[in-house]
């Protein structure tokens, strides 16, 4: 289940012929995506909904098999801390035993790069709001969300970054500035 899917094509890349997949995004994004005329597939649903409201949950329950994996890439950094709490409560209430991989950035690392970031040069209202300093902090948002692991998105890619960023990267910043956190809902 892809939360905040945007134009992500992960289903077409991962489909093994048996998985069921839901891409969820806001109605205006889903309307744009529908114009792309993607190949129809009975195992894939494109759902217009906000993950901050609970209307999407029954759709996931209806399609869910015994195991459900949620992914959220480029979504949570734009949520406030209280919105993080709301989504984690919804997921742990409804999907105990299931897992999620989500993208987050440590606030300390974002501050370090704020003035260099390509994002800061874009004319956009989508400001990064909040993130986890450490993946293991996730349980402080909700005790039923258990930290499993975290993975740096930059680890191994330092050489392809612009020089002003590369110069300031410490091992701690590489670990924190963009990462994927894996959690399980209890
Ligand atoms: C930065 S894009 C990331 C898209 C995609 N996950 C990717 O990695 O390419 C963030 C996406 O989250 C969606 N989004 C923002 N708030 C949302 C919400 N409350 N519910 C569902 N989707 C949301 C946006 O419309 C946008 O498509």
């Amino acid at each position: 289940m892809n939360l905040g899917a945007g134009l992500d094509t992960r289903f077409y890349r991962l489909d093994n012929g048996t998985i069921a997949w839901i891409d969820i995004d806001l109605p205006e994004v889903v309307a744009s995506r529908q114009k792309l005329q993607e190949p129809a597939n009975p195992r894939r649903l494109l759902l217009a909904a906000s993950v901050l409201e609970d209307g999407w949950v029954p759709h996931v329950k209806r399609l869910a098999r015994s195991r459900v994996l949620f992914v959220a890439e480029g979504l949570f950094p734009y949520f406030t801390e209280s919105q993080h709490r709301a989504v984690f409560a919804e997921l742990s209430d409804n999907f105990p035993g299931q897992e999620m991989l989500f993208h987050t950035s440590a606030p300390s690392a974002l501050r370090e790069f704020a003035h260099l970031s390509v994002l800061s040069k874009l004319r956009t209202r989508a400001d990064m709001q909040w993130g986890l300093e450490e993946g293991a902090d996730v349980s402080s948002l909700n005790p039923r969300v258990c930290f499993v692991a975290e993975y740096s998105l930059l680890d191994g890619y330092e050489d392809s970054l612009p020089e002003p960023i590369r110069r300031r990267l410490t091992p701690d910043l590489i670990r924190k500035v963009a990462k994927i956190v894996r959690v399980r809902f209890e």
Side-chain angles (χ1 to χ4, degrees):
M1 307 294 142
N2 195 351
L3 309 180
L7 299 180
D8 185 283
T9 56
R10 196 170 264 119
F11 170 72
Y12 303 105
R13 289 177 278 126
L14 294 186
D15 184 23
N16 61 0
T18 62
I19 57 170
W21 189 267
I22 304 182
D23 285 314
I24 302 176
D25 210 300
L26 298 171
E28 57 270 32
V29 175
V30 166
S32 301
R33 189 161 181 166
Q34 279 164 338
K35 291 184 192 147
L36 299 177
Q37 299 185 330
E38 295 170 273
N41 188 307
R43 290 176 289 103
R44 184 229 175 203
L45 177 66
L46 177 58
L47 188 62
S50 168
V51 300
L52 295 171
E53 291 157 16
D54 58 10
W56 58 275
V57 169
H59 293 280
V60 176
K61 287 191 166 173
R62 182 170 51 80
L63 280 187
R65 311 271 166 82
S66 54
R67 300 292 307 276
V68 182
L69 176 67
F70 294 90
V71 296
E73 185 178 22
L75 174 68
F76 288 175
Y78 300 96
F79 286 177
T80 61
E81 180 176 352
S82 68
Q83 289 171 328
H84 278 76
R85 285 182 196 278
V87 177
F88 283 121
E90 193 73 32
L91 288 164
S92 44
D93 282 353
N94 288 289
F95 302 101
Q98 310 300 348
E99 295 200 0
M100 175 161 69
L101 292 162
F102 67 95
H103 167 208
T104 188
S105 292
S108 64
L110 288 179
R111 276 195 300 276
E112 182 72 20
F113 288 110
H115 63 295
L116 291 173
S117 167
V118 176
L119 292 176
S120 69
K121 296 186 176 61
L122 296 176
R123 296 174 73 81
T124 169
R125 285 177 290 127
D127 289 330
M128 288 195 175
Q129 304 271 1
W130 197 79
L132 291 168
E133 199 60 39
E134 299 291 341
D137 296 344
V138 72
S139 300
S140 68
L141 294 173
N142 188 312
R144 287 172 299 152
V145 183
C146 299
F147 171 73
V148 178
E150 70 175 38
Y151 316 92
S152 164
L153 283 173
L154 291 192
D155 202 8
Y157 293 94
E158 299 89 333
D159 291 347
S160 49
L161 293 169
E163 170 59 20
I165 294 185
R166 204 166 55 230
R167 247 187 296 125
R168 298 172 71 137
L169 278 179
T170 61
D172 198 45
L173 281 173
I174 291 172
R175 189 174 67 77
K176 286 181 165 182
V177 74
K179 54 193 173 180
I180 300 294
V181 178
R182 178 177 168 196
V183 294
R184 187 169 45 251
F185 305 109
E186 296 295 343

